[in-house]
């Protein structure tokens, strides 16, 4: 079967660093995506990993370990506008993108 | 680029009524996906199309749900008859043929409430 796990909620302080973890078990693997979703809005693409290692994009970085079925999204210099849900999604052997239930991040001043 | 366009944004209907949700994908995108999002289950894939052909509808919950894509610029998701447990946000997403790293582009969703 396919399973993607993320923590349900996290809190952090403005200016801090937060790491959101994702573990997965899927039939095949052709990449892992992170999406951001503000309340009442559509998910928007943040990052893609298919090889092991760290991908950095400004304040956001994403890491992948295929052997461990593990990824994390690292958010640095947190801002209030980063309060949102962060969705981990995996593409297996097909064109389907399977999502975890998301991690709701609240940033406090 | 207008993005993925969904209509209506909100739909409130009574149990037993037919509901039709509409989607216009990004021009040139060959894949179209319908997802349903609830607090309990997150984003669930219902069905997806490639070049207007349904490829995988294994996520469609039951026969009350049906989806069509009559041409490259339009798709519908129909629920008949609707039930209160169908209340959710329904998203349409599209992507191009750029390979496995091509991200999905989501519409703003239709919030469906069935009373």
């Amino acid at each position: 079967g396919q399973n993607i796990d993320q923590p349900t909620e996290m809190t952090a302080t403005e200016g801090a660093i937060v790491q959101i973890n994702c573990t997965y078990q899927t039939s095949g693997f052709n990449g892992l995506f992170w999406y951001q979703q503000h309340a009442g809005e559509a998910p928007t693409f943040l990052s893609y990993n298919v090889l092991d290692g760290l991908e950095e994009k400004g304040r956001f970085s994403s890491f992948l370990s295929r052997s461990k079925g593990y990824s994390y999204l690292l958010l640095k210099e947190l801002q209030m506008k980063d309060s949102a849900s962060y969705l981990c999604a995996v593409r297996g052997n097909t064109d389907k993108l399977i999502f975890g239930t998301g991690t709701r991040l609240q940033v406090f001043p | 680029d207008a993005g993925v366009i969904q209509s209506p944004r909100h739909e409130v209907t009574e149990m037993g009524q037919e509901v039709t949700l509409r989607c216009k994908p990004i021009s040139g995108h060959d894949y179209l996906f319908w997802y349903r999002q609830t607090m309990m289950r997150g984003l669930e894939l219902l069905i997806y199309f490639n070049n207007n052909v349904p490829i995988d509808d294994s996520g469609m919950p039951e026969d009350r749900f049906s989806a069509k894509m009559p041409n490259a610029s339009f798709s519908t998701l129909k629920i008949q008859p609707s039930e209160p447990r169908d209340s959710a946000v329904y998203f349409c997403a599209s992507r191009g043929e750029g390979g496995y790293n091509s991200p999905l582009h989501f519409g703003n969703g239709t919030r469906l409430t069935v009373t």
Side-chain angles (χ1 to χ4, degrees):
Chain A
Q2 306 199 91
N3 194 46
I4 299 174
D5 286 318
Q6 306 177 232
T8 304
E9 288 197 18
M10 297 184 72
T11 60
T13 305
E14 200 174 12
I17 299 173
V18 71
Q19 178 176 311
I20 302 174
N21 296 325
C22 170
T23 57
Y24 64 89
Q25 289 178 305
T26 57
S27 302
F29 181 80
N30 279 293
L32 185 144
F33 294 78
W34 283 96
Y35 280 78
Q36 180 190 59
Q37 185 178 24
H38 284 101
E41 298 183 9
T44 56
F45 169 71
L46 285 177
S47 67
Y48 171 77
N49 295 70
V50 68
L51 299 176
D52 290 351
L54 190 68
E55 295 279 343
E56 296 188 75
K57 261 189 188 182
R59 294 190 299 115
F60 292 7
S61 302
S62 55
F63 171 83
L64 176 67
S65 169
R66 288 172 298 171
S67 63
K68 295 181 180 177
Y70 168 69
S71 172
Y72 67 73
L73 181 69
L74 194 70
L75 291 74
K76 302 176 186 176
E77 301 169 17
L78 279 173
Q79 301 175 8
M80 297 297 290
K81 67 178 182 178
D82 297 330
S83 292
S85 289
Y86 292 85
L87 311 176
C88 172
V90 175
R91 180 166 286 148
N93 283 332
T94 71
D95 290 306
K96 293 160 65 166
L97 194 58
I98 306 301
F99 283 81
T101 51
T103 299
R104 184 167 168 246
L105 173 67
Q106 285 186 286
V107 180
F108 293 100
Chain B
D1 185 352
V4 177
I5 299 172
Q6 291 186 246
S7 64
R9 287 298 310 273
H10 302 274
E11 176 81 35
V12 180
T13 191
E14 291 184 347
M15 183 173 64
Q17 297 298 306
E18 177 180 294
V19 175
T20 300
L21 311 181
R22 297 173 177 79
C23 175
K24 177 178 168 53
I26 292 172
S27 178
H29 279 190
D30 299 315
Y31 287 84
L32 184 141
F33 300 78
W34 282 101
Y35 283 86
R36 176 172 69 176
Q37 187 175 40
T38 59
M39 288 290 291
M40 289 298 295
R41 301 173 68 93
L43 266 172
E44 300 174 279
L45 178 63
L46 301 177
I47 184 171
Y48 79 95
F49 296 82
N50 179 215
N51 291 320
N52 314 336
V53 176
I55 304 300
D56 188 330
D57 65 354
S58 58
M60 297 285 260
E62 47 199 271
D63 291 346
R64 298 184 298 105
F65 285 68
S66 62
K68 294 182 180 179
M69 191 162 187
N71 58 63
S73 58
F74 184 65
S75 177
T76 59
L77 178 69
K78 187 176 293 188
I79 308 173
Q80 166 63 16
S82 57
E83 296 182 3
R85 61 190 165 128
D86 302 331
S87 298
V89 181
Y90 290 80
F91 285 103
C92 174
S94 70
R95 76 168 175 93
E97 278 279 10
Y100 283 126
N101 62 340
S102 291
L104 297 185
H105 298 264
F106 284 83
N108 285 325
T110 295
R111 180 174 294 277
L112 173 65
T113 304
V114 183
T115 61

